[in-house]
Amino acid sequence: MNRWLTRRWPAPHWPSIRGRGRTDAGPLLLTATVIAAVALLAGAAPALLRAAADTAVRDTVRRAGNDSNVLVHANFERDDGPTGGRVRMPSLAEAVDNFRARATDALGSDLDAALLPSVAVVNGPILNITDGSVPRTFQFTYLAGDRGGPDVTWIAGSAPGAAVSDEYVEIPYDGRPWPVQVGLSEADAAALNLGPGDRIPVGDGQGRDKDIRISGIYRAADSANPAWRLAPALLRPVPGADGVGTTRFGGLLSRESLPDARLAVDEDELRRTVHFAPEPEALTGDATAALASQVVRLKAASGSSSDRGESLKWESLLDTVLRDARARNSAASAQAAVLLAGVLTATVLVLLLAADLLVRRRTPALSAARQRGAGLPDLAAELVIESTVVSLSAAAVGLALARAAAPGVSWTWAVPVVLAGAVAGPAFGTLVAARASRDRRQPANPAARRWIRATGHLRRAAVEAAVLIAAVAAFVTLHQRGLLPVDSDGDTGELTGDLILPVSALALGALVGALVLLRLLPLGARLALRQALRSRRPLAVFSAAQAATTAGRALPLLVLVSTTALASFALILGATVTRGLADGGWSTVGADARVDVGTDAEAATPALAERIAAAPGVGQVVVAQVTDSARVFSESTLLTPRLVIVDAAAFQRLLATTPLPDAPALARLTTPGPGPGDVPALVRSSGGDLRTGTRLQLPRDGAPAIRLAAVGTAPSVGGATDVVIVDAAALADAGLPAVPNTVWVTGPGAARAVSNTGVAADVVLRADVLRAQRVAPLTAGLLRLAWTAAAVLLALGLLGSTLTAAAGASQRWQTLTRLRTLGLRPRDARWVAAGELLPPIVVAAVCGPLLGALLARLTLGPLDLRLLTGQAADPAAVLPWWLLGLVSVALLAAVATVVPVESALRRRDRLSEVLRAGE
């Protein structure tokens, strides 16, 4: 009890704090600069990455177009009349509005806020225009939003009206065609050569005529209105919408003519759908998981397609689009976290080294203060106050700069740096002060001395074993679990606790490599000393002796090796992503240029290919029929891979002349199948459904299915994960000739050759794809972070080499100055100093890049770089040896600079003071 009563709070001596701060202003300013710079990087990088993730989500949704819409379907109420006929429903438009409101209420507040106002679409069946020899189709459509349908201007006639004025009308099921009025766009009316009052000659699939009358011709007030994208035939004829060679025309219904459209077709042929288009600006990377889960819940609660009632039936690919975007965002976030963890680890080591240098400078003052009676708690409090003020002030400056440079700031990543800066100096200083007043004597008993040495070795071994175990656990977790977070509704994209260990794998691996080299360096230094003692070169002896004396210092080697290895990894990561983007461009396009021919122009594909092949600068031209989501059966299972029908030999030559992986298995497609009537095929599948030896069936209309036999693994085509490749000649012999719709072109003149195809086609250039991928928000952000991290780590390594030299400069030059009294020349003294400093620098310069390459080999796979490069598989590690060589040269150049500077500064030391040092 009395012991607790006699305790007091530490009483810091403020003049001593100010005096030490003024005396050591340089080292303190250096520490503050390091903390501020790293706080700026650690605070700005996550915020910039979140902003890039938000932009990436919006770009992904925009590119998805209508595929990202949320759709809800519902059947109309039955229109059975009391006398066995069908009743006209004048309030059918109000029923559509109620259906739209009911669907909006079912969304929920979060999903509703992320979607644009809904648009209801009521479509009739696809009808055939019966006059003329060209296949043409017609469909009437009703559009309704919050303010009605999209605005139009009637340039001829009037808006569609009701066919009858009676409130109640009942017609028989087998009566004459019921009239319905529609409006035509200018383009549709000109193509059909019809005007107001004319009838459109149409019939359904059973040959029954329909009474479709034109009430007027309209012009869209805003053709960019999103509602028109849901029914493009209402603005202009759409070729190929209903098959090759067909053209679809559209008729616009009004609220008054919608009830007549219901009676003009069979009861279940008029379908109503509400479309919710996402609002890209309302989407953020943090909300993707929650929104995707809400869409999934809506689809899970959807009514059955066989339900004839008015239950809501939800349909959307928005959850898939958002999950894909979230996977890319999570991968980029994890990759950035790995780099930041490496930077923070190197920064902490440098701060420890800087604190060690500062304490070495303060050792006489701290020892004298302790010997004069200063209490350890008081000294510790003084040092803590000083280091805390410096660390917090520097971190505040860095975070303020980060806030000015980024749309936000992440302070959590700066905490380790602030703690290291605030704790390292007081801890080292308190230990020095404690040793100054310790009356513990060295035991005379050899066994006791051995026990003390063994205890120290065991403590060091325990620390090294702990780091090794943590590194092994981190790498095992990284490879077993990966870095992508587990799907969660409340996931905000921040680094979670289960990811801390795998994210730290790179930093722990660098520490383990540095610890191994720390064990080997003293052995090598002692071996070099023994060899030098046998030589007749005194400079070699002096250098080896100095190096052997300092080889056991842990912090310098840990700093040098870790920073060099981590900088090398950052350079390898940047080079790998850059090469992966180039390979991803080849994988996406398949050649220097690709022409995707429209369905209405597929017959012109061979002539188009011949014209492109004759253009100057064109190397190879290969045509193929590429069908996405083709219907292929494996036993009783329906598969939907990408079906590629191509000349196998020409495709193999194309792959051989591009950076794409070769596919020698293509040669098997020109050989007979393993069984009679089998057509050989190459297959590729991400889920294992398609593998070598699988028997497949390719169905045909009005003919038996073609049997396919998988004889090998197919190359990736356009980045697709499920692919089936068949030789065009073999499939034609089996009775299914190919209709080419894709042209691959290689050569320097490919872009010019496909610039004007003259047919309805989409042209995809590899250069454009690569340019778009490089400027993509996530990819560009990760590359900038990788190059910045490499520069920061290299700067930390150079700073570490300078601090290492400064820490032992006083003792080193005292020894060399004394050797000068024995005849050592100044030039020789510089060589001896360089020989002392070179061993850890050479080890870091040689082993650091090699360790970085090893870490890249172990960690790049689980980083899922393919999600950013657009490749089907993870890119292979690329070692930029010239950049790694620059890192090594920079370290060696630092030694070549430090030694002359030290020599010039030490020339002012008086020989008498050096000889009296230590007395």
Side-chain angles (χ1 to χ4, degrees):
M1 182 68 180
N2 294 333
R3 181 180 178 185
W4 286 99
L5 291 177
T6 57
R7 289 190 175 184
R8 63 178 179 84
W9 289 99
H13 187 247
W14 297 103
S16 298
I17 296 177
R18 291 192 294 270
R20 279 193 293 266
R22 287 192 297 267
T23 303
D24 299 318
L28 292 176
L29 181 61
L30 176 63
T31 300
T33 303
V34 172
I35 293 176
V38 176
L40 169 61
L41 176 63
L48 291 173
L49 191 64
R50 281 195 297 270
D54 295 343
T55 304
V57 170
R58 294 161 188 157
D59 291 346
T60 301
V61 171
R62 289 191 186 98
R63 287 195 302 268
N66 289 342
D67 290 340
S68 62
N69 288 0
V70 177
L71 282 64
V72 56
H73 312 278
N75 296 323
F76 279 106
E77 179 185 0
R78 295 185 62 86
D79 58 0
D80 298 328
T83 61
R86 299 179 61 189
V87 176
R88 185 179 185 275
M89 298 181 175
S91 61
L92 199 61
E94 287 76 8
V96 172
D97 293 338
N98 294 334
F99 164 54
R100 190 167 56 84
R102 186 159 59 102
T104 302
D105 294 338
L107 288 176
S109 58
D110 293 340
L111 191 57
D112 187 22
L115 300 176
L116 292 170
S118 61
V119 177
V121 181
V122 180
N123 285 319
I126 303 298
L127 304 174
N128 298 317
I129 299 179
T130 55
D131 68 336
S133 58
V134 179
R136 295 177 296 178
T137 59
F138 178 84
Q139 183 182 40
F140 48 70
T141 303
Y142 171 73
L143 300 176
D146 288 344
R147 299 181 179 179
D151 293 334
V152 297
T153 300
W154 297 96
I155 60 177
S158 61
V164 295
S165 58
D166 298 337
E167 286 293 329
Y168 180 83
V169 175
E170 183 177 355
I171 64 172
Y173 276 96
D174 55 353
R176 62 180 178 83
W178 186 261
V180 56
Q181 296 184 15
V182 299
L184 286 184
S185 66
E186 286 183 283
D188 285 357
L192 293 174
N193 195 23
L194 297 175
D198 294 335
R199 295 180 56 182
I200 304 176
V202 295
D204 60 13
Q206 301 178 7
R208 296 176 298 183
D209 293 335
K210 302 298 179 181
D211 189 0
I212 309 297
R213 303 176 182 180
I214 302 174
S215 66
I217 310 300
Y218 64 85
R219 178 186 302 152
D222 180 14
S223 59
N225 190 316
W228 294 117
R229 292 201 297 266
L230 304 177
L234 294 178
L235 291 180
R236 65 187 61 87
V238 179
D242 300 306
V244 179
T246 64
T247 302
R248 179 188 293 181
F249 296 83
L252 180 64
L253 296 172
S254 65
R255 298 177 66 89
E256 292 75 16
S257 64
L258 180 60
D260 298 318
R262 178 79 188 277
L263 295 180
V265 296
D266 291 342
E267 185 179 22
D268 57 351
E269 288 185 333
L270 195 68
R271 294 180 174 85
R272 56 179 176 173
T273 303
V274 175
H275 294 252
F276 295 92
E279 171 56 67
E281 298 304 323
L283 299 176
T284 62
D286 296 342
T288 54
L291 294 179
S293 298
Q294 292 178 22
V295 175
V296 170
R297 281 196 290 269
L298 286 176
K299 294 195 293 185
S302 178
S304 172
S305 59
S306 60
D307 184 6
R308 304 305 302 171
E310 298 182 62
S311 61
L312 301 182
K313 304 173 182 64
W314 296 90
E315 174 189 353
S316 179
L317 293 178
L318 179 61
D319 55 328
T320 303
V321 173
L322 292 179
R323 290 186 190 279
D324 291 343
R326 178 175 176 270
R328 288 190 291 271
N329 292 347
S330 300
S333 177
Q335 294 153 10
V338 169
L339 290 173
L340 288 177
V343 172
L344 295 185
T345 301
T347 304
V348 169
L349 292 175
V350 170
L351 291 177
L352 293 177
L353 187 58
D356 179 65
L357 172 61
L358 181 61
V359 170
R360 285 174 182 268
R361 290 167 54 96
R362 291 179 170 179
T363 296
L366 293 175
S367 300
R370 178 61 176 158
Q371 291 169 356
R372 288 196 298 265
L376 285 179
D378 298 337
L379 286 176
E382 294 172 6
L383 297 176
V384 167
I385 291 173
E386 178 190 72
S387 61
T388 301
V389 169
V390 171
S391 299
L392 290 179
S393 301
V397 171
L399 293 177
L401 294 175
R403 183 63 183 87
V409 65
S410 177
W411 60 268
T412 54
W413 283 98
V415 171
V417 178
V418 176
L419 289 179
V423 173
F428 290 165
T430 304
L431 289 177
V432 167
R435 292 193 187 103
S437 59
R438 186 174 60 183
D439 58 356
R440 190 179 194 177
R441 298 181 179 180
Q442 184 75 10
N445 187 355
R449 291 198 296 269
R450 287 194 298 270
W451 176 262
I452 293 176
R453 287 195 299 271
T455 302
H457 293 161
L458 286 176
R459 289 172 179 170
R460 176 179 175 180
V463 173
E464 293 174 346
V467 175
L468 177 60
I469 292 173
V472 171
F475 277 101
V476 171
T477 306
L478 177 65
H479 283 269
Q480 293 293 328
R481 184 204 179 283
L483 287 175
L484 296 182
V486 179
D487 289 342
S488 174
D489 293 355
D491 183 33
T492 61
E494 294 289 342
L495 185 65
T496 55
D498 58 334
L499 289 177
I500 293 179
L501 188 59
V503 162
S504 306
L506 173 66
L508 291 173
L511 286 177
V512 169
L515 290 174
V516 171
L517 294 175
L518 181 61
R519 285 284 187 177
L520 298 178
L521 182 59
L523 299 177
R526 288 195 293 268
L527 178 61
L529 178 59
R530 284 197 296 268
Q531 295 296 326
L533 289 173
R534 298 176 183 176
S535 68
R536 297 181 180 181
R537 299 177 180 177
L539 291 181
V541 176
F542 296 151
S543 299
Q546 291 284 88
T549 303
T550 59
R553 293 183 59 194
L555 275 178
L557 189 65
L558 289 178
V559 169
L560 293 172
V561 174
S562 297
T563 54
T564 308
L566 293 172
S568 301
F569 174 84
L571 293 174
I572 294 171
L573 176 63
T576 302
V577 172
T578 302
R579 176 72 62 82
L581 291 175
D583 294 343
W586 281 104
S587 176
T588 300
V589 180
D592 289 310
R594 189 186 73 231
V595 181
D596 297 328
V597 182
T599 54
D600 57 331
E602 290 178 347
T605 303
L608 174 63
E610 293 179 0
R611 189 168 66 253
I612 294 175
V618 173
Q620 293 194 53
V621 177
V622 177
V623 298
Q625 178 181 344
V626 179
T627 306
D628 290 329
S629 300
R631 292 166 51 87
V632 177
F633 290 90
S634 173
E635 296 180 353
S636 59
T637 303
L638 173 62
L639 305 175
T640 56
R642 173 173 290 179
L643 177 63
V644 181
I645 306 173
V646 65
D647 184 346
F651 191 48
Q652 188 174 11
R653 289 194 300 270
L654 175 71
L655 296 179
T657 57
T658 63
L660 293 170
D662 294 335
L666 286 169
R668 304 176 191 171
L669 298 183
T670 58
T671 60
D678 289 343
V679 176
L682 301 182
V683 296
R684 182 185 188 90
S685 174
S686 58
D689 297 327
L690 297 172
R691 54 185 178 272
T692 303
T694 303
R695 301 286 179 167
L696 305 173
Q697 289 188 346
L698 182 63
R700 292 184 293 172
D701 293 335
I706 297 178
R707 297 197 305 271
L708 305 179
V711 296
T713 302
S716 177
V717 179
T721 56
D722 297 338
V723 179
V724 175
I725 300 180
V726 184
D727 182 65
L731 198 63
D733 294 340
L736 184 61
V739 181
N741 59 1
T742 300
V743 182
W744 288 298
V745 187
T746 63
R752 190 182 308 108
V754 301
S755 60
N756 186 14
T757 60
V759 298
D762 293 330
V763 176
V764 183
L765 300 180
R766 183 179 59 84
D768 294 342
V769 172
L770 179 58
R771 189 180 305 109
Q773 289 176 337
R774 284 177 175 171
V775 300
L778 290 178
T779 306
L782 178 64
L783 283 176
R784 283 195 294 267
L785 179 60
W787 302 131
T788 303
V792 171
L793 288 167
L794 180 57
L796 291 174
L798 296 176
L799 178 60
S801 65
T802 304
L803 294 177
T804 300
S810 178
Q811 183 178 0
R812 177 169 56 254
W813 286 98
Q814 283 183 10
T815 303
L816 293 177
T817 305
R818 291 170 180 171
L819 289 176
R820 287 180 58 191
T821 63
L822 302 178
L824 190 69
R825 295 175 298 179
R827 176 184 176 185
D828 297 335
R830 288 194 293 270
W831 280 109
V832 174
E836 177 185 346
L837 295 175
L838 271 177
I841 298 293
V842 171
V843 169
V846 174
C847 299
L850 297 178
L851 178 58
L854 177 61
L855 293 175
R857 180 66 179 270
L858 294 176
T859 57
L860 284 184
L863 289 183
D864 296 317
L865 294 178
R866 69 182 183 281
L867 295 177
L868 298 184
T869 60
Q871 297 172 271
D874 291 316
V878 177
L879 302 181
W881 289 113
W882 68 277
L883 289 176
L884 302 182
L886 286 179
V887 173
S888 302
V889 171
L891 287 179
L892 297 175
V895 177
T897 304
V898 167
V899 172
V901 172
E902 279 190 354
S903 178
L905 294 176
R906 294 296 174 176
R907 284 180 181 177
R908 301 178 182 179
D909 293 346
R910 295 181 180 181
L911 185 59
S912 58
E913 295 178 356
V914 173
L915 293 177
R916 286 198 301 268
E919 293 181 356

